[in-house]
Amino acid sequence: MPQRLTPLEIMTKLISFPTVSRDTNLPLVDWVEGYLNEHGIEAHRWPDPDQPHKAAIFAHVGPWEEGGVVLSGHTDVVPVDGQPWDTNPFTVTEKDGKSYGRGTCDPKGVHALAM
């Protein structure tokens, strides 16, 4: 049976991929695709023809019918160059009941909740 991760565990994994906008997001896409497939959710990737080091991923749950809900988002994050981080921005750090890391709110925290 595949391991089911909590939203915090999924977010922590997603944050660990340094998907800054100038770099690839393919390792993150690989992980998401594999995790969803392990749980019986078919996922498809769409490579960006203009940026072959990037791809989008689409997954569908439930019956194909009108009136469905689409959750959509991006996987890239703003670069951290020159920013005064006192922790590793690609590691989730909890302080005073809050989680800190590049993308905890946008976009990776949202993706973790959707997954």
Side-chain angles (χ1 to χ4, degrees):
M1 178 173 232
Q3 180 183 13
R4 176 174 263 173
L5 301 177
T6 67
L8 178 58
E9 291 169 327
I10 293 171
M11 181 181 72
T12 298
K13 183 64 177 175
L14 296 177
I15 297 289
S16 75
F17 296 103
T19 57
V20 297
S21 53
R22 67 178 169 254
D23 297 332
T24 185
N25 70 339
L26 296 181
L28 180 145
V29 170
D30 291 341
W31 186 84
V32 169
E33 186 176 40
Y35 183 80
L36 294 176
N37 286 334
E38 286 176 7
H39 291 84
I41 299 170
E42 190 174 349
H44 307 276
R45 70 174 57 211
W46 275 268
D48 183 335
D50 298 323
Q51 301 179 84
H53 63 289
K54 295 184 181 247
I57 188 164
F58 171 83
H60 180 268
V61 179
W64 288 93
E65 59 184 50
E66 287 188 39
V69 174
V70 173
L71 301 175
S72 177
H74 57 92
T75 61
D76 63 329
V77 295
V78 175
V80 298
D81 305 331
Q83 296 179 348
W85 286 81
D86 57 359
T87 61
N88 181 340
F90 300 107
T91 300
V92 174
T93 302
E94 187 176 331
K95 291 187 219 174
D96 301 321
K98 297 178 183 173
S99 296
Y100 294 88
R102 177 57 90 211
T104 53
C105 292
D106 175 30
K108 296 175 181 182
V110 174
H111 294 319
L113 290 172
M115 288 174 63

